[in-house]
Amino acid sequence: MKKHIIITYVLLIVLTIVSGLTYSVVDNNIPSIILLLSALKFIGVSFYFMDLKKAHIFWKSAVICYLTILLIVVLII
């Protein structure tokens, strides 16, 4: 179990570095890419560090629905 946490932690660091590097590129789709990377980090933190992967299906679907609604609202604005 400890190995999975370390792999998730390293993956979160890599996603953060990739987000920072993509910010410097001038393109119209960069905010969408950064939001997608943020969503992946959110899922990583919520499922592995908050032990949501062992939770009831209601809580898993609630987190995924919240994330989906949040991304849609931010992309519309």
Side-chain angles (χ1 to χ4, degrees):
M1 174 146 161
K2 189 173 183 179
K3 186 176 182 179
H4 292 287
I5 292 176
I6 292 172
I7 291 171
T8 305
Y9 183 68
V10 169
L11 184 64
L12 289 171
I13 291 172
V14 168
L15 286 173
T16 303
I17 291 171
V18 170
S19 300
L21 292 175
T22 57
Y23 179 74
S24 63
V25 176
V26 178
D27 191 13
N28 292 336
N29 295 328
I30 294 301
S32 302
I33 294 170
I34 292 176
L35 279 173
L36 178 67
L37 293 173
S38 314
L40 290 174
K41 290 191 292 186
F42 180 81
I43 290 172
V45 168
S46 63
F47 276 84
Y48 286 102
F49 293 115
M50 294 171 50
D51 281 337
L52 195 61
K53 63 182 175 182
K54 298 177 185 176
H56 192 269
I57 190 72
F58 170 76
W59 296 111
K60 292 177 186 179
S61 60
V63 167
I64 298 297
C65 288
Y66 171 76
L67 180 63
T68 305
I69 291 170
L70 181 71
L71 288 176
I72 291 172
V73 168
V74 169
L75 286 175
I76 288 174
I77 293 175

